[in-house]
Amino acid sequence: MREYLLTLCITAAVTYLLTGPVRKFAIVAGAMPEIRARDVHREPTPRLGGIAMFFGLCAGLLVADHLTNLSEVFEKSNEPRALLSGAALIWLIGVLDDKFEIDALIKLGGQMIAAGVMVMQGLTILWLPIPSVGSVALTQWQGTLLTVALVVITINAVNFVDGLDGLAAGMVCIAAAAFFLYAYRIWYSYGIEAAAPATLFSAILMGMCLGFLPHNMHPARIFMGDSGSMLIGLVLAAGAISITGQIDPDALKLFAGSEKAAVHQTVPVYIPLLLPLTIIAVPAADLISAIVRRTWRGQSPFAADRGHLHHRLLEIGHSHSRAVWIMYFWSALIAFGSLAYSVNSASMWIVLGVVFLSAIGLVLLLLPRFTPRVPMWAQHIVPPRYRRRRRAVAAEPAEPEQRAPVAVGVAGVNGATALGARSHVPERRKAETTR
């Protein structure tokens, strides 16, 4: 665990320290597009934040390669090299898009090529665990097509949800944290070394997101752009492919009693990762709804609009920060709920807890104007927006004499007040004297 934490911290530190210089470089390079109709921000903001995230990924892999235990991942598996190759390719495509706005079909082709590069180096789905059947081996073409499809879906799901400050980085960080706990449990609890690469990928992905978030929280000083959103989407997909399609349920049946029991034990996370429906459930739902909505209107599925989930949260009255936190809440609930269910699927308390938290989430979702009240002793530790009402009441003038000038100004609206007319007389006399 200590080596994973060290890798995470190094990745986060490199990403954080490089984001500032990358922001200056993006401004000089002109990677600051004009405000578009679908944008939420009000000022041009530099992109290319994915440059810092990519170098954070490289630093994390480099450090892990020189650690005692994690170096075995590089010796026994080619998956880290496959990840780096695919990440470099998708990152270059994203950088070009952030600067020159390349066509959506070209990006889609680049995503498929990056996935193909990883497949050629061994990062692919070999079999699927199916309930009541067991592990089903896939042919080379079936594994390749399924792997490419999963990579493309995950990349675009993360890319589509990247519409608010800190939203994509935070949601992917939550998904990576849940995925790390699951992979770490498979690796150390069951002793299955095939889960080690996925555990490493999740730790590095958390570091990339945590290092970038301080610069990207509202109001954001820099955006990750497609170079960042497609990159973290590919890393998340690589971890899912590594642990889902590489670990044989035959290795788990030694602990579960039989192969079918092992498949049942891992289904709550395995199958959703393949679709994917839990780890990136919210981005996937947004992706599907966007494709259906745009196709119904006769538009291209890649045509941008303001119909995403985060846009709708803003339209019903939620603030920018609250919309982001609501998306965080639902992502954490689905990801960690699935994780808890995979650990103990027979516990009714887990189901009841998920239902209770879902009810709380619905209440917060339907009350956009609700502002929680905090006690007096906590006034100095909460954001200013939660203290605004009390400050306004305290600042309101209590004496009627203080409101007299306001009354005069309001009364003068009906027609050239004497106060307004007199205020311009000295200025006119000065002008005549000057002439």
Side-chain angles (χ1 to χ4, degrees):
M1 178 63 77
R2 289 180 298 179
E3 293 187 354
Y4 286 115
L5 292 178
L6 176 61
T7 304
L8 188 154
C9 292
I10 293 297
T11 304
V14 171
T15 304
Y16 176 80
L17 294 176
L18 287 180
T19 303
V22 167
R23 180 179 181 273
K24 296 180 180 179
F25 169 75
I27 295 175
V28 173
M32 295 180 60
E34 299 294 333
I35 304 297
R36 298 164 296 186
R38 68 177 188 271
D39 290 335
V40 178
H41 57 283
R42 294 292 179 265
E43 298 180 358
T45 305
R47 294 192 287 187
L48 293 177
I51 296 178
M53 304 179 81
F54 176 75
F55 283 104
L57 169 66
C58 296
L61 291 175
L62 181 62
V63 170
D65 191 20
H66 289 80
L67 297 178
T68 304
N69 296 323
L70 292 183
S71 60
E72 297 179 359
V73 177
F74 296 83
E75 297 174 358
K76 299 179 180 180
S77 173
N78 197 42
E79 294 181 6
R81 300 176 184 85
L83 170 65
L84 185 59
S85 301
L89 181 58
I90 203 71
W91 172 72
L92 288 175
I93 296 173
V95 170
L96 293 176
D97 181 67
D98 289 341
K99 172 59 180 175
F100 301 107
E101 296 282 347
I102 63 178
D103 187 72
L105 292 179
I106 297 178
K107 287 194 296 183
L108 179 62
Q111 296 168 7
M112 298 176 66
I113 294 175
V117 169
M118 293 194 300
V119 170
M120 292 176 58
Q121 300 186 52
L123 187 57
T124 182
I125 298 176
L126 301 177
W127 48 68
L128 290 179
I130 300 178
S132 302
V133 177
S135 59
V136 177
L138 301 177
T139 64
Q140 182 178 1
W141 282 106
Q142 290 174 342
T144 300
L145 292 177
L146 189 58
T147 302
V148 172
L150 179 59
V151 171
V152 172
I153 290 174
T154 307
I155 289 176
N156 286 281
V158 175
N159 191 18
F160 276 29
V161 83
D162 184 24
L164 297 179
D165 298 347
L167 182 58
M171 291 180 65
V172 172
C173 184
I174 293 171
F179 193 75
F180 173 81
L181 294 177
Y182 174 75
Y184 187 83
R185 175 173 173 264
I186 297 294
W187 168 209
Y188 282 96
S189 297
Y190 295 141
I192 301 177
E193 295 183 359
T199 310
L200 176 61
F201 297 164
S202 302
I204 292 177
L205 182 57
M206 278 193 292
M208 295 165 60
C209 296
L210 290 175
F212 185 73
L213 268 175
H215 299 272
N216 190 234
M217 293 300 291
H218 184 70
R221 302 180 68 248
I222 186 174
F223 295 151
M224 67 173 66
D226 284 359
S227 59
S229 61
M230 293 197 300
L231 176 63
I232 60 178
L234 181 135
V235 177
L236 182 62
I241 293 168
S242 176
I243 198 170
T244 305
Q246 299 283 335
I247 296 180
D248 190 354
D250 290 337
L252 292 175
K253 72 180 182 181
L254 299 176
F255 303 92
S258 65
E259 182 178 351
K260 292 184 179 180
V263 172
H264 278 291
Q265 184 176 359
T266 56
V267 154
V269 175
Y270 271 136
I271 297 301
L273 279 176
L274 288 173
L275 293 177
L277 288 178
T278 57
I279 296 300
I280 55 168
V282 177
D286 193 18
L287 171 65
I288 295 173
S289 64
I291 292 176
V292 173
R293 180 178 64 253
R294 295 166 184 173
T295 305
W296 183 264
R297 295 176 180 174
Q299 300 176 346
S300 170
F302 302 98
D305 57 14
R306 289 182 59 88
H308 292 289
L309 296 177
H310 48 272
H311 289 141
R312 296 182 181 181
L313 289 175
L314 296 177
E315 290 176 358
I316 65 177
H318 289 288
S319 64
H320 191 291
S321 300
R322 181 172 293 185
V324 171
W325 282 106
I326 288 176
M327 300 283 281
Y328 285 175
F329 173 83
W330 284 107
S331 298
L333 178 62
I334 297 174
F336 286 97
S338 300
L339 175 65
Y341 188 73
S342 69
V343 174
N344 187 5
S345 59
S347 177
M348 184 58 63
W349 288 105
I350 296 176
V351 178
L352 294 178
V354 171
V355 172
F356 176 73
L357 292 176
S358 299
I360 294 178
L362 289 175
V363 171
L364 295 176
L365 184 65
L366 299 176
L367 293 177
R369 300 299 181 182
F370 172 72
T371 301
R373 295 182 179 181
V374 296
M376 293 297 298
W377 58 267
Q379 290 288 321
H380 63 286
I381 62 176
V382 297
R385 58 179 176 274
Y386 298 123
R387 308 192 299 262
R388 192 174 303 164
R389 180 173 298 179
R390 294 190 176 185
R391 286 185 174 182
V393 173
E396 185 177 357
E399 298 296 333
E401 290 80 3
Q402 298 179 3
R403 303 180 183 178
V406 178
V408 172
V410 173
V413 175
N414 292 330
T417 61
L419 180 61
R422 292 173 184 174
S423 63
H424 295 286
V425 171
E427 297 180 359
R428 293 176 182 174
R429 289 178 179 177
K430 290 181 180 180
E432 293 175 359
T433 305
T434 306
R435 293 175 184 174

